[in-house]
Amino acid sequence: MTTALRGLTWDHPRGYVVLDALAADAGDELPSVRWDRQPLEGFESRPLRTLRDAYDLLIVDHPGLGEAVRDGALRPLDELLSAAELAACAAVSAGRSYASYHLDDRQWALPADAAAQVAVCRTDLLGERPTTWADACRVARAHRTALCLGGPHALLMFSAICVSLGAPPASTPPDNTGTFADPEAGAEAAAVMADLLAHADPALAARNPIAVLDAMAADGGPAYCPLVYGYITYQRPRPGARALAAFDAPAGPGGIGSVLGGTGIAVTRSCTRLSAARELLLRVVSQDVQVRRYAELGGQSADRRAWLDPAADASAGGFYAATRATIEAAWVRPRFAGYVEFQAAASAALRDGLLGGEPPAALAARVNDIFAAQRATGDRAAG
């Protein structure tokens, strides 16, 4: 019996249901894969070099690519796939999902799942759909509101608001003296966050997107969250849970502000069954899987054709149509070695500062100081 490929994904139905179903259907036609799972926090921050030797396939987050490439953790996909196959995947990518895994002129993963920060509300508690940050702040004063600031998400919300203000972070070539956020836009973003937090539950705000959405879907949960990563699973009917509706993230003078998330499927340097890995990658990104199987099983497709497909949208409770403009506009984070550490440290500083009532301009300056310090040290080789 041929040994199965070993893969690692993240521990949420959106991260494993489709992959497990494909593994169960493998039979004689597809390579066999055994998928392990890790928590969301590990997926967001665990260095890929620590997983390289134990797995053939990894479901990855694009901000960690710089470190993974530096450490030799992943195999560039042009060694497995033709230029035509890569171009075909790029052509149907939802937003910049494909581009987010392109670094140093090579492709390191194929987009398996697409996500961005969106607005979410309880359909039984809020009829309005705020479209601007001014609207979001007004609604938060009148309805129970949740924020999502746990883990890296305080910095991600800060970044999204900067994008909506027309000042995308790290918009100049990064160097050791560069800044992350424009000081004026950063101060305004922090002020919006402080305004919203004044009307939100601070304990819930310190949690991750899954915990925030679970709280909203429970009896007595908040009515509104202006910005949280969208999960298609909360818009599909679920026994014992209140219905949630996702819609486009708030906009500002620069348009919709959101930060791209989602996942990619990558091959590690230690993988020796390259033909089997290649087959599996092409199967996961195929139209049949991304449009049909994802719709059947509740996956969140990275293929634009699913986001435009009426049947797929209907199975998702309208999630795709309601948030398509956001996924297409979502900003891609920097991917230099050390970015993930910066993201964690800057998010903690923002969260603690907001809870402590620090002035918005001081918070924006602190983020820039952390960025400059990390840029000065982030390219060091891993020990």
Side-chain angles (χ1 to χ4, degrees):
M1 181 178 294
T2 304
T3 302
L5 293 167
R6 190 175 179 194
L8 181 67
T9 186
W10 56 299
D11 192 15
H12 184 273
R14 208 182 92 200
Y16 64 76
V17 168
V18 174
L19 296 176
D20 285 351
L22 293 179
D25 292 348
D28 296 327
E29 298 182 3
L30 289 173
S32 175
V33 186
R34 186 185 75 207
W35 288 100
D36 295 337
R37 304 170 191 171
Q38 65 174 334
L40 175 63
E41 287 76 14
F43 165 75
E44 290 176 332
S45 62
R46 188 174 179 183
L48 298 186
R49 66 176 179 274
T50 68
L51 304 168
R52 172 184 55 203
D53 296 333
Y55 293 97
D56 302 294
L57 302 164
L58 297 173
I59 297 298
V60 301
D61 196 14
H62 68 262
L65 275 187
E67 184 174 280
V69 171
R70 181 199 66 189
D71 298 342
L74 302 179
R75 184 178 296 275
L77 296 188
D78 54 44
E79 294 181 2
L80 282 77
L81 303 174
S82 70
E85 288 166 333
L86 291 171
C89 185
V92 298
S93 169
R96 298 185 65 195
S97 295
Y98 180 90
S100 69
Y101 301 103
H102 194 83
L103 188 67
D104 295 344
D105 296 321
R106 306 193 83 168
Q107 193 71 21
W108 300 95
L110 298 184
D113 170 292
Q117 296 155 310
V118 297
V120 176
C121 73
R122 280 271 295 268
T123 58
D124 59 332
L125 298 176
L126 185 66
E128 181 179 357
R129 302 293 185 264
T131 59
T132 68
W133 283 107
D135 290 338
C137 290
R138 174 180 52 77
V139 168
R141 296 185 188 102
H143 298 271
R144 284 191 61 206
T145 295
L147 292 191
C148 182
L149 306 179
H153 296 281
L155 180 71
L156 301 182
M157 183 175 185
F158 174 85
S159 300
I161 299 173
C162 287
V163 171
S164 77
L165 294 172
S171 56
T172 56
D175 55 42
N176 290 348
T177 59
T179 59
F180 181 72
D182 172 81
E184 184 176 342
E188 186 171 348
V192 170
M193 294 172 72
D195 189 349
L196 290 164
L197 186 58
H199 303 282
D201 177 350
L204 181 58
R207 302 178 74 181
N208 69 27
I210 296 170
V212 170
L213 292 168
D214 281 342
M216 292 185 69
D219 287 341
Y224 175 54
C225 181
L227 202 70
V228 64
Y229 276 92
Y231 279 71
I232 205 168
T233 47
Y234 292 88
Q235 200 143 319
R236 293 164 64 96
R238 297 188 304 145
R242 299 286 183 168
L244 302 183
F247 51 102
D248 285 321
I256 291 173
S258 184
V259 178
L260 190 69
T263 68
I265 184 167
V267 179
T268 67
R269 279 288 185 186
S270 66
C271 179
T272 58
R273 295 181 58 206
L274 299 182
S275 178
R278 166 191 155 80
E279 288 182 53
L280 193 283
L281 261 64
L282 290 175
R283 178 62 175 154
V284 169
V285 301
S286 68
Q287 182 174 3
D288 176 63
V289 170
Q290 287 283 324
V291 179
R292 184 179 69 83
R293 296 301 301 277
Y294 270 54
E296 291 173 355
L297 299 170
Q300 196 162 302
S301 178
D303 191 316
R304 183 183 295 111
R305 290 171 293 188
W307 291 71
L308 295 169
D309 185 87
D313 189 48
S315 75
F319 178 91
Y320 287 138
T323 62
R324 187 168 61 238
T326 296
I327 198 76
E328 293 291 346
W331 173 73
V332 176
R333 283 166 274 179
R335 291 156 297 164
F336 60 85
Y339 172 78
V340 173
E341 289 82 358
F342 157 71
Q343 180 175 261
S347 190
L350 274 169
R351 184 169 53 251
D352 293 345
L354 287 165
L355 290 168
E358 287 192 40
L363 285 175
R366 185 181 299 185
V367 169
N368 282 336
D369 288 344
I370 295 170
F371 182 75
Q374 187 60 53
R375 284 302 301 159
T377 60
D379 290 325
R380 294 180 300 184

